[in-house]
Amino acid sequence: MSVNISVRNAVKRYGAVTIIPDLSIEIKDKEFFTLLGPSGCGKTTLLRMIAGFNTIEGGEFYFNETCINEMEVSKRNIGMVFQNYAIFPHYTVQQNVEFGLKNRRLSRDEIKNATREFLELMQIQEYHDRMPERLSGGQQQRVALARALVIKPDVLLMDEPLSNLDAKLRLEMRQAIRNLQKEVGITTVYVTHDQEEAMAISDRIAVMKDGVIQHVGTPQEIYHRPANIFVATFIGRTNLLNAHYSAANKSIQLDDFSFPMENIAASEEGPVVLSIRPEDFTMSKEDSGGIKSTITDSIFLGLNTHFMVALPGGQEIEIIHESVLDLDFKSGDRVYLTIKVDKINVFSEDGNRNLSRDV
Amino acid sequence: MSNIMRRKKLDVWSLVTFIVLGLYVLFLIYPLFNLLAQSVVDKKTGAFTMAYFIKFFSKPYYFNTLLNSFKVTFAVTLLTVLLGTPLAYFFTRFEIRGKGFLRVLIILSSMSAPFIGAYSWILLLGRNGVITQFFRESMGIQFPSIYGFTGILVVLTLQLYPLIFLYITGALKNVDNSLLEAAENLGCSGFRRFRIIVIPLILPTLFAGGLLVFMRSLADFGTPMLIGEGFRTFPVTIFNEFISELGGDDGFAAAISIIAIIITTFIFLIQRYLSTRKTFTMNSMNKIRPIKATGLTKVLIHIYSYGLIGLSIMPQFYIFYTSFKKVNGTTFVPGYSFGSYATAFDRVGRAITNTLLIPGVSLVIIVFFAAFIAYITVRRRNVFTGIADTVSMVPYIIPGSVVGITLLIAFNKPPILLSGTMLIMVIGLVLRRLPYTIRSSVAVLQQIPLNIEEAAQSLGASKLKTFYKITMPMMAAGLVAGAILSWVTMISELATAILLYTGRTKTLTVEIYTQIIRGNYGIAAALSTILAVLTVTSLLIFNKISGSSEISM
């Protein structure tokens, strides 16, 4: 069985400090849902409220139609994977995985079979009688996953499970977790501060800041049409440029360069902020109607090369181009920039609203 | 809503908290208030009186004992710091021949009861001591008297400097070697570097160790009793006033006890204030590695280490030696025998079983309570567990003889009549030793990530089950190691036991003390040796379990 999780007007306070003022989300059945945000944004706090480790100062938490606010941790039927794995150091791999089953008073055979099944699923059967101290980080991670899933939980909760692994193993486990979640078909809430990891693994992402959800959407939605400037800068890299929107001509004035902009819902006129991702500029030596700019620096990073470019009005931007064999752009060069206008996001001056029509 | 939340918090740990608090109220808070009441109430009229306090401060006979105690305690504290700190630094910084063996000797010399050391020094340097006699008869040199201030100073210093050594050795482990190298690189080395870099870094530990020495020295009863003679310190006065054959004066003893508690509290608060202001967070990436000393440095370091440690272990060895000497009546005669042991086993009756039983029972209680209290104070922080934490530390600053008197006055009449029972001795030991065991359990528990317990709960284990299936087993090694050290301290405890014992509950230390007072030095030596064997065995088990030679008090 799997469930949808519903959080309505959740409040979390520590003494006088409010961590989460008023938060509501709906997490769908079998969905891989990620809470993403900088440290201190309240994402782990929210996860631990769902798990039952934190008290709830206000609002209701539901698994399907059941309110879980007052339910003991041990009765919630959740599987939890911790940042440090929290493997019981005095138990073997097998005993760790069996622990939850034994608390459920299953028969000896059921315990044995279920344990074997998940040890095999996680490919750690051969280590079953090892003590945790003799396992590598990745193996401990697999034990933690097996232990969390073997009890057939209604919900799987993961708190930055990959942050203690090295970069290569992180990619491998990321894929393993993704595949496993689809295979078992379990509603999953995943916490991370790594935006690339979140995009790679999630069905939907909630971007959080200061205890408030800024944007909920698929990875594509939050990357291409971020709800506000915080989301635009937190997910991927972007250039923020001050510009002016003229409702009459439906055009944007950037310094002394202007271009048409149809995709704006608002009718108001005035200063706006453009968010243009570094890959959405094209540079050219020839003047074909682009913005006349100067390259001030370039950094070669293998696959791509990053260019720092000064606009005529003095604003500095970053442009990413695929690296080429013959470096044809260098510092001091005069270049002409064109913009992929349909990918631009236009924000209100305070940065809180995306004015694009298709948001 | 908030009402519901409040009810939810009342779990099994709330129950534990209230049981712990209830027991402390019964066995510590109530007796202390009772003590206070006794000290200000006239026995006959039942009216309020300050007569006992006035008596103490107006008569030099009593008041001087306080001054004496302070004189000798400050001197001991200063001297232990001056002797123990360099020794710890040498042990950390330099290669010393036979270091492991020396370390064992240091620990051994600190683990025996101080009064046994005092008695041994009397045998060596007293009026008829072997060394005194040797010099007097062969060279006509008269040694200065070992009795009085000097004697107490020598005995307690040699007994207590190992505490400073252990504390400082621990602190130096946290000092990063790069700090020393950086200092040297900037042109600061040798003693100057020790003074301006190392000392400030270990200062908080030095204060903590100093406090422990101060408290132990101030509260020590056996040493001044045996070797102090005319130099009376106030644990001796408390004891005499309370136990006096001519109708001991409860009220006066209570008043002196209250004065003692006020003073130790004051000292404790000063130490706290000083060390919190000077604490540094250090994380030693590369520890200080011992280097080879050369030339004169090497010679001096070895002389210092072997000299000091030799001196402090000498009393132990001498007692061991005399336990095999032939005895005629109460005097040693030439020749060797097991006679002392035979007489000892013949006469001590239940002392040995009591020494195993009373601290044994106390130990079990201590381990469970320490685990519970550590758990509630670390994992369930709230007002009540905070109170439990503070209250549990109170006995740390109460001298052992005061603990004894406090319990006796509180429980010597119905409804709770405990005086003369084994239970009251157990309570005394538990109260005195719990603070140490709680501290070490807290340290152990803080090393265990909270996540482990959350994981167990998320897998369906109840709170109690989580505690005994996950937390307790993970704490076990640390708990047992701490328990063995408690055990060693308890079997050599005298100050509380001497007040609480009766014929049936006599312990080894009380028996040894009695035999020394009676002049049966052979039996005393034999019993002391048995006690030492018990101690050494316990320490060996400790090493086996903790897997290291690290000992913290």
Side-chain angles (χ1 to χ4, degrees):
Chain A
M1 187 190 78
S2 199
V3 298
N4 59 311
I5 303 169
S6 165
V7 178
R8 297 171 199 164
N9 308 103
V11 179
K12 178 68 207 170
R13 273 190 297 268
Y14 286 111
V17 187
T18 302
I19 307 294
I20 296 175
D22 178 10
L23 185 148
S24 301
I25 41 169
E26 294 288 333
I27 298 165
K28 295 174 207 153
D29 188 10
K30 297 189 175 51
E31 182 174 41
F32 200 118
F33 192 89
T34 295
L35 301 171
L36 172 66
S39 62
C41 73
K43 56 191 189 298
T44 296
T45 305
L46 180 63
L47 186 83
R48 292 170 58 85
M49 286 166 92
I50 298 173
F53 299 132
N54 283 353
T55 55
I56 299 165
E57 270 69 45
E60 289 98 51
F61 286 65
Y62 287 91
F63 286 177
N64 290 338
E65 303 310 315
T66 319
C67 177
I68 56 159
N69 280 38
E70 301 300 327
M71 201 185 275
E72 285 272 342
V73 174
S74 50
K75 304 279 188 312
R76 291 191 184 196
N77 200 28
I78 45 168
M80 177 105 185
V81 178
F82 296 87
Q83 186 169 5
N84 62 356
Y85 318 134
I87 307 289
F88 307 130
H90 56 305
Y91 287 162
T92 62
V93 168
Q94 174 144 0
Q95 286 169 329
N96 262 284
V97 177
E98 281 171 348
F99 185 86
L101 296 171
K102 284 188 173 158
N103 290 325
R104 280 166 173 72
R105 304 184 192 289
L106 300 175
S107 76
R108 195 179 289 261
D109 281 343
E110 283 174 292
I111 292 178
K112 217 170 127 189
N113 294 336
T115 304
R116 171 176 289 274
E117 179 192 339
F118 276 86
L119 287 175
E120 269 164 15
L121 185 66
M122 291 316 301
Q123 299 158 16
I124 44 175
Q125 173 64 31
E126 55 183 305
Y127 310 117
H128 70 99
D129 56 357
R130 278 215 192 160
M131 295 307 280
E133 60 192 11
R134 292 185 48 231
L135 297 178
S136 69
Q139 288 162 346
Q140 290 194 23
Q141 173 80 80
R142 288 170 186 273
V143 176
L145 272 167
R147 187 179 69 178
L149 287 171
V150 72
I151 59 174
K152 303 257 186 301
D154 293 336
V155 175
L156 179 62
L157 305 178
M158 292 196 247
D159 185 8
E160 309 226 11
L162 302 182
S163 60
N164 283 347
L165 300 178
D166 62 53
K168 199 168 163 222
L169 200 53
R170 193 150 51 209
L171 293 187
E172 190 186 314
M173 282 310 295
R174 181 164 98 188
Q175 198 54 44
I177 289 175
R178 168 91 187 157
N179 295 343
L180 189 67
Q181 193 264 345
K182 290 299 160 216
E183 194 174 325
V184 179
I186 180 173
T187 314
T188 301
V189 187
Y190 187 98
V191 161
T192 183
H193 64 268
D194 182 334
Q195 43 104 4
E196 188 189 307
E197 184 178 304
M199 288 203 277
I201 208 166
S202 316
D203 294 324
R204 281 196 309 153
I205 298 173
V207 182
M208 288 180 71
K209 182 194 167 204
D210 301 334
V212 176
I213 290 185
Q214 307 291 319
H215 192 172
V216 182
T218 64
Q220 291 78 6
E221 283 164 0
I222 61 169
Y223 186 81
H224 289 310
R225 288 289 177 247
N228 56 37
I229 282 187
F230 171 77
V231 179
T233 49
F234 190 75
I235 309 292
R237 307 169 76 96
T238 195
N239 295 294
L240 296 178
L241 296 169
N242 292 314
H244 191 95
Y245 174 63
S246 154
N249 335 345
K250 296 207 169 206
S251 74
I252 298 268
Q253 186 77 32
L254 174 61
D255 296 337
D256 46 8
F257 182 79
S258 118
F259 55 90
M261 174 56 78
E262 302 282 343
N263 184 24
I264 285 195
S267 55
E268 66 233 76
E269 172 138 354
V272 291
V273 179
L274 305 182
S275 161
I276 311 174
R277 302 235 180 245
E279 67 271 24
D280 294 338
F281 286 101
T282 329
M283 288 195 294
S284 159
K285 288 252 170 97
E286 280 85 53
D287 183 1
S288 49
I291 309 169
K292 195 160 94 179
S293 319
T294 314
I295 296 177
T296 56
D297 198 4
S298 70
I299 304 159
F300 173 72
L301 288 177
L303 176 62
N304 294 318
T305 304
H306 292 215
F307 296 93
M308 305 307 295
V309 175
L311 298 185
Q315 303 192 68
E316 274 246 336
I317 57 166
E318 182 183 20
I319 295 175
I320 299 179
H321 261 209
E322 194 183 328
S323 300
V324 289
L325 272 180
D326 308 314
L327 185 66
D328 46 358
F329 298 109
K330 36 184 199 305
S331 287
D333 281 1
R334 174 67 47 90
V335 288
Y336 296 91
L337 305 180
T338 47
I339 305 168
K340 296 170 187 162
V341 175
D342 56 336
K343 290 182 78 180
I344 290 181
N345 283 287
V346 182
F347 293 102
S348 59
E349 196 189 9
D350 61 8
N352 289 337
R353 259 178 333 121
N354 191 333
L355 303 175
S356 309
R357 184 175 289 153
D358 52 358
V359 167
Chain B
M1 184 72 220
S2 72
N3 231 342
I4 299 168
M5 295 309 298
R6 203 148 304 188
R7 237 186 302 130
K8 191 188 159 196
K9 278 184 192 160
L10 283 179
D11 57 10
V12 58
W13 290 112
S14 315
L15 190 67
V16 168
T17 308
F18 287 116
I19 292 174
V20 164
L21 280 177
L23 288 173
Y24 267 115
V25 166
L26 182 59
F27 291 115
L28 184 65
I29 307 294
Y30 160 68
L32 281 176
F33 273 101
N34 190 50
L35 184 78
L36 184 63
Q38 292 282 331
S39 71
V40 293
V41 171
D42 190 292
K43 264 273 163 60
K44 295 191 189 82
T45 62
F48 175 82
T49 176
M50 288 302 280
Y52 299 124
F53 288 93
I54 293 167
K55 180 178 170 189
F56 182 85
F57 285 105
S58 59
K59 290 195 182 167
Y61 176 80
Y62 295 119
F63 184 62
N64 279 344
T65 61
L66 199 61
L67 290 182
N68 282 347
S69 275
F70 268 103
K71 255 189 247 168
V72 79
T73 301
F74 272 113
V76 166
T77 310
L78 192 67
L79 211 53
T80 51
V81 167
L82 289 180
L83 289 174
T85 314
L87 190 68
Y89 185 67
F90 294 156
F91 266 59
T92 311
R93 187 80 189 121
F94 299 106
E95 282 179 5
I96 295 171
R97 207 159 292 199
K99 198 185 265 182
F101 178 64
L102 286 179
R103 216 184 281 271
V104 172
L105 290 186
I106 294 174
I107 290 162
L108 273 189
S109 64
S110 73
M111 288 293 174
S112 75
F115 77 94
I116 295 178
Y119 138 68
S120 181
W121 281 111
I122 293 175
L123 291 182
L124 289 165
L125 286 174
R127 281 181 203 97
N128 296 311
V130 279
I131 298 177
T132 324
Q133 271 180 347
F134 174 77
F135 279 99
R136 190 166 50 212
E137 279 155 26
S138 61
M139 302 178 208
I141 299 171
Q142 183 61 47
F143 254 58
S145 167
I146 186 73
Y147 300 97
F149 177 84
T150 329
I152 303 175
L153 182 65
V154 167
V155 171
L156 289 182
T157 302
L158 289 178
Q159 179 79 31
L160 296 173
Y161 84 88
L163 293 182
I164 300 287
F165 171 82
L166 292 171
Y167 264 69
I168 300 300
T169 313
L172 287 174
K173 282 212 176 78
N174 287 327
V175 176
D176 199 302
N177 200 26
S178 318
L179 292 175
L180 299 187
E181 289 169 354
E184 191 163 17
N185 180 246
L186 296 167
C188 173
S189 63
F191 180 69
R192 198 173 127 78
R193 176 172 66 180
F194 177 69
R195 191 169 58 84
I196 69 175
I197 303 294
V198 177
I199 292 283
L201 291 176
I202 59 175
L203 209 54
T205 315
L206 211 53
F207 282 135
L211 177 75
L212 190 62
V213 168
F214 191 94
M215 295 292 183
R216 292 257 177 109
S217 162
L218 190 69
D220 189 61
F221 157 78
T223 309
M225 197 74 181
L226 287 180
I227 211 170
E229 297 211 328
F231 192 85
R232 289 156 52 91
T233 64
F234 84 110
V236 175
T237 309
I238 295 179
F239 178 78
N240 284 341
E241 289 305 317
F242 189 74
I243 229 77
S244 163
E245 303 269 324
L246 311 161
D249 193 341
D250 284 13
F252 188 49
I256 308 179
S257 302
I258 293 289
I259 294 167
I261 294 176
I262 292 172
I263 291 168
T264 49
T265 309
F266 192 60
I267 300 286
F268 174 71
L269 291 177
I270 292 178
Q271 183 268 350
R272 264 228 159 142
Y273 173 73
L274 287 177
S275 52
T276 47
R277 280 186 17 174
K278 300 219 175 263
T279 311
F280 307 96
T281 324
M282 286 188 290
N283 191 3
S284 176
M285 304 277 285
N286 42 59
K287 295 194 188 333
I288 301 173
R289 267 178 231 287
I291 54 167
K292 252 199 172 79
T294 48
L296 188 62
T297 320
K298 184 179 176 179
V299 175
L300 289 178
I301 285 170
H302 278 80
I303 290 178
Y304 181 80
S305 307
Y306 275 86
L308 180 59
I309 296 165
L311 212 55
S312 59
I313 200 70
M314 188 160 69
Q316 303 274 330
F317 278 117
Y318 187 68
I319 284 178
F320 180 70
Y321 164 75
T322 56
S323 73
F324 295 105
K325 284 190 75 164
K326 233 185 209 143
V327 179
N328 182 11
T330 59
T331 46
F332 293 116
V333 292
Y336 301 95
S337 81
F338 287 105
S340 293
Y341 286 93
T343 331
F345 279 113
D346 207 36
R347 283 213 210 151
V348 291
R350 303 173 56 160
I352 292 178
T353 38
N354 279 342
T355 300
L356 296 174
L357 186 63
I358 297 173
V361 172
S362 310
L363 193 63
V364 175
I365 299 175
I366 286 172
V367 167
F368 274 94
F369 268 75
F372 283 142
I373 295 174
Y375 191 84
I376 57 176
T377 54
V378 174
R379 295 286 199 244
R380 310 275 144 166
R381 289 211 157 272
N382 63 42
V383 182
F384 295 106
T385 61
I387 293 172
D389 189 26
T390 311
V391 171
S392 71
M393 288 309 287
V394 169
Y396 179 78
I397 54 171
I398 304 181
S401 32
V402 174
V403 171
I405 287 178
T406 310
L407 289 176
L408 267 185
I409 293 181
F411 301 120
N412 63 358
K413 54 190 175 299
I416 312 178
L417 179 62
L418 294 178
S419 54
T421 62
M422 199 172 275
L423 182 62
I424 200 169
M425 300 191 74
V426 169
I427 295 169
L429 286 179
V430 169
L431 281 177
R432 288 194 61 195
R433 198 55 216 181
L434 255 181
Y436 301 90
T437 318
I438 292 174
R439 283 308 105 193
S440 61
S441 308
V442 164
V444 173
L445 192 56
Q446 279 165 344
Q447 303 294 316
I448 302 175
L450 183 59
N451 279 345
I452 297 267
E453 287 166 36
E454 291 173 347
Q457 282 181 33
S458 78
L459 293 167
S462 69
K463 283 171 184 168
L464 204 58
K465 188 167 189 183
T466 305
F467 183 71
Y468 73 80
K469 291 280 272 192
I470 305 297
T471 318
M472 267 297 244
M474 287 181 69
M475 286 174 76
L479 267 180
V480 171
I484 294 171
L485 288 184
S486 290
W487 163 260
V488 169
T489 331
M490 287 191 292
I491 58 175
S492 55
E493 201 280 337
L494 179 71
T496 312
I498 195 91
L499 281 160
L500 298 177
Y501 85 95
T502 60
R504 287 187 308 116
T505 58
K506 219 171 193 182
T507 61
L508 259 182
T509 45
V510 173
E511 188 65 46
I512 294 168
Y513 179 80
T514 319
Q515 297 298 348
I516 294 171
I517 294 288
R518 289 186 192 152
N520 293 327
Y521 291 165
I523 302 176
L527 291 174
S528 301
T529 306
I530 294 171
L531 187 61
V533 169
L534 266 178
T535 306
V536 173
T537 318
S538 311
L539 288 176
L540 287 178
I541 298 173
F542 169 85
N543 261 6
K544 186 96 184 151
I545 289 175
S546 71
S548 74
S549 55
E550 273 165 51
I551 287 190
S552 64
M553 305 309 285

